[in-house]
Amino acid sequence: MRKKIVAGNWKMNCTLPEGKKLASEIIHMVQDEVNNDTDVILIPPFIHLTGIQNLICSSKNIFLGAQNCHQNQNGAFTGEISAGMLVSCGATHVILGHSERREYFGETDELLAEKVSFALENQLIPIFCCGEKLEVREAGKHEDLVSMQVEKALFGLSEDQISKVVIAYEPVWAIGTGKTASAEQAQEMHAFIRKQIAAKYSQETADSISILYGGSVKPENAKEIFSQSDVDGGLIGGASLKSRDFTNIVKSFD
Ligand code: 13P
């Protein structure tokens, strides 16, 4: 059985007090109301990690993630954060390859391959993001593009390593736009990614990897998207900043 995961990517939002309030509300609501075994991952800005880890403590099925990490352990890289530092703050997951990192910070698939491998060496689970821009989908090249992103960043990993990775398919045209991919579009791409992993590694490994959908997921559309056989949960942006909406998305698996 694959893990069901709902991860909240807060992006560059919330002061520390706001973040602590949001996290406390989510932790309580999830503990009191959710009747499934979904893993919930809170992914705040770096500087809130320790404060939020103190709130999560050992809450069942609630984990802490970071939004990025550097590909070196330490050294003269002013302003950067390493995988080891994240682990020391209690993080178990790290988003790598988000389209905003690719677009605004020039992250390439080659760099992401290094980051993914380095995160794994540090026992941090990468949530590897892939997804096409609108013009690529309109040109009918979305599968080629996503397949290239997956191949370049992940296919240098051993079978044991890739089995630890979480993949998030986030079509860029659906991020923050209110335009969600249809459940069919999500299912089609997730099945395509899984098939590609099966062809490179094995069906067993492909079947064990959680593939999340991201892009304008809300309480109103989560159930339908999550009901698709190859969709194992969501990477949530805007709606993860509202405790009620985020909890209701987690409850979509009930
Ligand atoms: P939205 O849910 O705001 O569209 O953002 C999705 C996302 O980028 C999550 O990483």
Side-chain angles (χ1 to χ4, degrees):
M1 269 296 276
R2 287 193 287 274
K3 269 203 172 109
K4 306 276 183 214
I5 299 172
V6 174
N9 174 11
W10 296 5
K11 308 193 180 183
M12 197 176 72
N13 290 294
C14 296
T15 61
L16 181 57
E18 288 164 353
K20 282 183 169 175
K21 180 170 178 285
L22 174 62
S24 301
E25 287 171 4
I26 292 172
I27 293 164
H28 285 113
M29 286 182 193
V30 165
Q31 284 176 334
D32 294 348
E33 301 174 25
V34 173
N35 297 312
N36 60 55
D37 56 1
T38 305
D39 282 357
V40 172
I41 310 170
L42 304 181
I43 311 182
F46 289 132
I47 53 168
H48 303 351
L49 286 170
T50 305
I52 289 171
Q53 174 58 19
N54 290 337
L55 300 171
I56 295 176
C57 288
S58 52
S59 308
K60 198 171 154 278
N61 292 353
I62 304 184
F63 300 91
L64 185 69
Q67 299 174 17
N68 180 32
C69 72
H70 196 261
Q71 66 279 15
N72 283 286
Q73 191 64 284
N74 46 44
F77 301 102
T78 302
E80 290 294 326
I81 307 281
S82 75
M85 291 172 191
L86 297 178
V87 171
S88 75
C89 293
T92 48
H93 295 72
V94 62
I95 296 177
L96 292 173
H98 193 281
S99 60
E100 289 149 17
R101 300 281 331 161
R102 294 175 186 263
E103 177 80 13
Y104 307 133
F105 302 95
E107 296 200 356
T108 61
D109 291 313
E110 291 73 17
L111 174 69
L112 293 169
E114 282 185 58
K115 290 193 176 197
V116 166
S117 157
F118 204 68
L120 286 167
E121 276 174 39
N122 284 274
Q123 275 70 53
L124 208 47
I125 299 170
I127 302 176
F128 173 74
C129 301
C130 54
E132 80 286 355
K133 291 185 180 174
L134 185 59
E135 60 267 27
V136 176
R137 177 157 285 262
E138 284 175 346
K141 301 262 189 245
H142 43 292
E143 290 190 344
D144 294 346
L145 190 277
V146 169
S147 142
M148 195 187 68
Q149 290 176 327
V150 168
E151 183 181 334
K152 284 192 173 168
L154 301 184
F155 282 5
L157 299 174
S158 68
E159 186 155 7
D160 180 54
Q161 285 176 312
I162 200 168
S163 67
K164 298 191 172 80
V165 173
V166 173
I167 295 176
Y169 169 57
E170 298 205 305
V172 180
W173 46 272
I175 296 179
T177 57
K179 263 197 221 162
T180 326
S182 67
E184 293 71 31
Q185 285 172 322
Q187 167 57 26
E188 202 174 60
M189 184 60 90
H190 285 220
F192 173 77
I193 295 169
R194 206 177 299 287
K195 204 166 131 200
Q196 190 193 0
I197 296 169
K200 166 76 181 173
Y201 295 92
S202 65
Q203 191 64 51
E204 194 189 352
T205 292
D207 285 341
S208 74
I209 293 179
S210 298
I211 307 181
L212 316 182
Y213 168 79
S216 298
V217 177
K218 299 180 195 65
E220 298 76 37
N221 57 27
K223 211 176 183 81
E224 195 193 351
I225 297 171
F226 294 176
S227 70
Q228 302 299 309
S229 58
D230 285 291
V231 178
D232 305 305
L235 181 54
I236 320 299
S240 74
L241 299 171
K242 294 182 190 141
S243 52
R244 173 46 59 203
D245 284 1
F246 186 68
T247 307
N248 285 345
I249 291 172
V250 182
K251 283 166 80 172
S252 304
F253 279 124
D254 281 1

